[in-house]
């Protein structure tokens, strides 16, 4: 049997060069990780964000272009997320790189932005916070001593190196650090429900608004039934962007894939691109407004909705979501419906507290960011501790950024007061978050 381990002791990494040492390291620079980085550095902690790709913003800056979760669905359209997340959205809106877009299926008003500009916005916010940035550097192993995460091994352009800090945040989407540290996780497995993957794309020279969503869905169904086009998903979203004549398209669906299996993920990328060609061909051939349109770009990577998740000190459940439950240790709020894409060709929507959007919200507990087995580690973003159903509601980017801000603030406070994140006084954390504009 192999003795290779993802979790090492300090003695086992003694030969590696120490590339960086400080207070807080954030793994993954997506919505959660970038917000965590800014929050931690603004609290005065020496902070580094480590990202495997060449930009910050993650899925939000590569696959998507609309923040959901800021507004609770319902007649009043109340905003439930503030803090750094809203600072990002507000900055994009004020600079003319975003607009608010009423949602057609009840997820609340979205903020549609230009993803390339989001990358630069995070660059500026992180630089202004004073945090360090390490791009093109996947974390490959975790160093644990006495049940505490104390370091990471990272692959860099100069080979493997060691990073040391006093607190760590796993914002990798796939719970990469938690998994490597050996903590309890919910993982893709045969028979376990898992949301499908989607490859997004953009079309240019579109006569925007020439077809309604309802008519588009009818045309997809018709073409799929005829068998002229292979269109696995019969609904989905096509919407206008900041760029005139350009639409963002979320139509493809690659199901039954374990995104943590390297060959399955690779095959999903290829299948996603194949579906993009097919949907683009269908749009140009069959849909009013697309006669002169062409495919202008495809996402850098296929969009993964769900993979590994922490099984932490609290597991957020469907009941918590549907009953709009609050928690004494809530560090973020969410009003988004359960949005489950795992039902074959269609998507299932379930609203908090009833059959229609109500404007009700629930709290996201701090304990859902804390592993049971190790100290020195927080988890934020889509790999938080939640069931499949609860995750289908809480995974929007506004909530991921809010969780990131809470994790970053908690990590910095734990370093500042020399306690572990798990024994931090949550009341003090919540007070600090509210002082910084977080809505609780
Ligand atoms: C197809 C699709 C459509 C969606 N639509 C919407 C929508 O319209 N609006 C909305 O609000 N939400 C939407 N969501 C949900 C939302 O996008 C995600 O839940 C959210 O972006 C997750 O943010 P995150 O920060 O947790 O992860 P990510 O944004 O994925 O960030 C994780 C980062 O970690 C990095 N990373 C991973 N492993 C390592 C490693 N070992 N070392 C270093 N770096 C690493 C990755 O490169 C990535 O940058 C959608 C999701 C998908 C897939």
């Amino acid at each position: 049997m192999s003795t290779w381990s993802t979790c090492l002791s300090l003695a086992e990494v003694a030969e590696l060069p120490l590339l960086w040492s400080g207070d807080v390291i954030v793994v993954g620079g997506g919505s959660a990780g970038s917000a965590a980085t800014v929050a931690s550095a603004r609290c005065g902690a020496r902070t580094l964000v480590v990202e495997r790709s060449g930009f910050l913003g993650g899925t939000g800056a590569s696959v998507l272009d609309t923040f959901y979760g800021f507004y609770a669905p319902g007649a009043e359209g109340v905003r439930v997320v503030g803090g750094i997340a809203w600072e990002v959205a507000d900055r994009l809106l004020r600079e003319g790189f975003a607009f608010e877009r009423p949602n057609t299926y009840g997820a609340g008003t979205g903020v549609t932005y230009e993803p390339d500009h989001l990358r630069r916005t995070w660059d500026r916010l992180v630089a202004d916070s004073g945090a360090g940035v390490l791009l093109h550097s996947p974390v490959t192993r975790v160093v644990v001593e006495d049940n505490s995460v104390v370091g990471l091994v990272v692959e860099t352009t100069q080979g493997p190196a060691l990073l040391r800090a006093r607190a760590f945040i796993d914002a990798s989407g796939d719970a990469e650090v938690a998994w490597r540290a050996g903590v309890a996780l919910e993982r893709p497995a045969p028979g376990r429900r898992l949301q499908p993957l989607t490859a997004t794309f953009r079309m240019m020279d579109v006569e925007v608004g020439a077809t309604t969503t309802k008519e588009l869905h009818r045309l997809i169904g018709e073409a799929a039934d005829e068998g002229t086009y292979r269109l696995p998903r019969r609904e989905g979203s096509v919407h206008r962007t900041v760029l005139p004549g350009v639409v963002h398209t979320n139509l493809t669906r690659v199901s039954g894939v374990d995104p943590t299996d390297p060959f399955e993920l690779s095959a999903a990328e290829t299948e996603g691109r194949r579906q993009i060609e097919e949907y683009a061909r269908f749009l140009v051939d069959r849909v009013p407004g697309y006669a002169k349109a062409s495919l202008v770009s495809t996402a850098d990577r296929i969009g993964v909705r769900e993979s590994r998740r922490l099984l932490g000190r609290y597991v957020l459940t469907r009941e918590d979501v549907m009953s709009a439950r609050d928690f004494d240790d809530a560090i973020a709020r969410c009003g988004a419906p359960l949005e489950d894409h795992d039902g074959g060709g269609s998507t299932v929507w379930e609203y908090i507290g009833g059959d229609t959007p109500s404007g009700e919200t629930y709290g996201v507990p701090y304990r859902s960011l804390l592993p049971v087995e190790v100290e020195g580690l927080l988890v934020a973003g889509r790999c938080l501790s939640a069931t499949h159903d609860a995750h289908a509601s809480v995974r929007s980017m506004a909530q991921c950024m809010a969780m990131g801000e809470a994790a970053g603030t908690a990590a910095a406070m734990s370093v500042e007061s020399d306690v572990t994140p798990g024994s931090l006084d949550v009341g003090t954390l919540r007070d600090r978050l509210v002082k910084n504009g977080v809505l609780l």
Side-chain angles (χ1 to χ4, degrees):
M1 204 174 96
S2 165
T3 54
W4 192 88
S5 170
T6 56
C7 181
L8 303 171
S9 66
L10 275 174
E12 288 170 297
V13 293
E15 303 288 308
L16 285 179
L18 179 63
L19 189 63
W20 189 89
S21 173
D23 295 326
V24 176
I25 292 178
V26 181
V27 177
S31 297
S34 295
T37 304
V38 173
S40 170
R42 282 183 181 173
C43 287
R46 288 169 300 150
T47 307
L48 178 74
V49 57
V50 186
E51 166 57 49
R52 69 181 169 191
S53 68
F55 57 89
L56 299 176
T59 300
S62 51
V63 178
L64 305 172
D65 76 344
T66 301
F67 296 130
Y68 283 121
F70 275 115
Y71 293 95
E76 283 88 36
V78 176
R79 183 156 61 79
V80 299
V81 173
I84 292 167
W86 183 249
E87 196 179 323
V88 170
D90 186 53
R91 198 183 266 220
L92 290 162
L93 286 164
R94 278 189 290 107
E95 291 176 355
F97 289 103
F99 57 87
E100 292 197 332
R101 190 163 58 84
N103 181 268
T104 46
Y105 47 77
T109 297
V111 179
T112 296
Y113 55 84
E114 186 45 38
D116 281 344
H117 199 74
L118 177 63
R119 298 180 185 193
R120 295 193 291 275
T121 301
W122 279 125
D123 280 344
R124 289 204 302 269
L125 278 168
V126 169
D128 290 350
S129 75
V133 179
L134 191 62
L135 300 176
H136 296 295
S137 301
V139 167
T140 55
R141 298 194 193 187
V142 178
V143 185
V144 175
E145 287 280 325
D146 300 326
N147 285 335
S148 270
V149 178
V150 296
L152 300 169
V153 178
V154 68
E155 281 299 326
T156 74
T157 43
Q158 294 179 327
L162 180 64
L163 305 171
R164 296 284 316 261
R166 294 167 68 195
F168 296 81
I169 298 171
D170 183 345
S172 64
D174 293 331
E176 290 269 324
V177 179
W179 169 60
R180 287 167 210 272
V183 309
L185 298 169
E186 181 165 335
R187 300 159 69 157
R192 192 168 280 168
R193 292 165 67 202
L194 201 66
Q195 302 240 21
L197 286 67
T198 291
T200 56
F201 61 102
R202 288 176 152 208
M203 306 274 299
M204 60 185 265
D205 294 330
V206 176
E207 204 186 310
V208 181
T211 311
T212 63
T213 303
K214 198 172 164 200
E215 177 62 1
L216 173 70
H217 292 174
R218 191 190 68 74
L219 290 168
I220 297 176
E222 191 178 85
D225 285 342
E226 275 172 18
T228 325
Y229 305 86
R230 282 166 61 199
L231 308 175
R233 185 178 179 188
R234 290 166 177 244
E235 24 86 308
S237 127
V238 175
H239 59 254
R240 73 186 174 98
T241 66
V242 174
L243 308 174
V246 175
V247 294
H248 180 94
T249 307
N250 182 336
L251 288 175
T252 69
R253 175 163 288 174
V254 185
S255 303
V257 173
D258 173 354
T260 65
D261 179 301
F263 279 113
E264 287 193 28
L265 183 60
S266 303
E269 293 280 9
T270 310
E271 169 60 14
R273 284 191 284 274
R274 189 200 65 72
Q275 287 187 24
I276 284 177
E277 281 192 338
E278 194 73 345
Y279 275 97
R281 185 168 74 88
F282 153 77
L283 289 167
V284 171
D285 289 353
R286 295 287 185 91
V287 180
Y290 285 83
K292 295 182 184 149
S294 51
L295 185 59
V296 64
S297 64
T298 60
D300 302 23
R301 59 176 102 147
I302 195 160
V304 175
R305 292 184 174 84
E306 182 177 20
S307 57
R308 297 185 200 102
R309 262 192 316 276
L310 180 68
L311 284 172
R313 297 192 187 184
Y314 188 81
V315 183
L316 191 71
T317 66
R318 157 187 277 274
E319 292 68 37
D320 297 331
V321 171
M322 298 311 278
S323 65
R325 186 166 173 198
D326 207 355
F327 295 90
D328 290 344
D329 65 337
I331 44 78
R333 300 214 70 77
C334 183
L338 264 70
E339 178 188 343
D340 205 334
H341 295 249
D342 82 348
S346 62
T347 303
V348 177
W349 301 90
E350 288 180 74
Y351 299 100
I352 298 174
D355 296 335
T356 51
S358 64
E360 288 190 86
T361 63
Y362 58 91
V364 181
Y366 179 57
R367 286 163 296 155
S368 287
L369 311 185
L370 292 171
V372 176
E373 301 85 350
V374 295
E375 271 299 352
L377 179 65
L378 289 138
V379 171
R382 74 167 168 84
C383 48
L384 87 158
S385 176
T387 63
H388 167 85
D389 286 335
H391 178 261
S393 163
V394 78
R395 66 194 175 88
S396 291
M397 285 185 278
Q399 276 68 37
C400 287
M401 288 188 274
M403 284 183 245
E405 177 159 7
T409 307
M413 286 174 68
S414 75
V415 168
E416 189 181 84
S417 47
D418 202 19
V419 297
T420 61
S423 40
L424 193 67
D425 179 68
V426 185
T428 317
L429 169 64
R430 280 165 49 96
D431 289 346
R432 175 87 73 107
L433 291 173
V434 170
K435 194 168 146 248
N436 291 339
V438 170
L439 302 177
L440 295 181

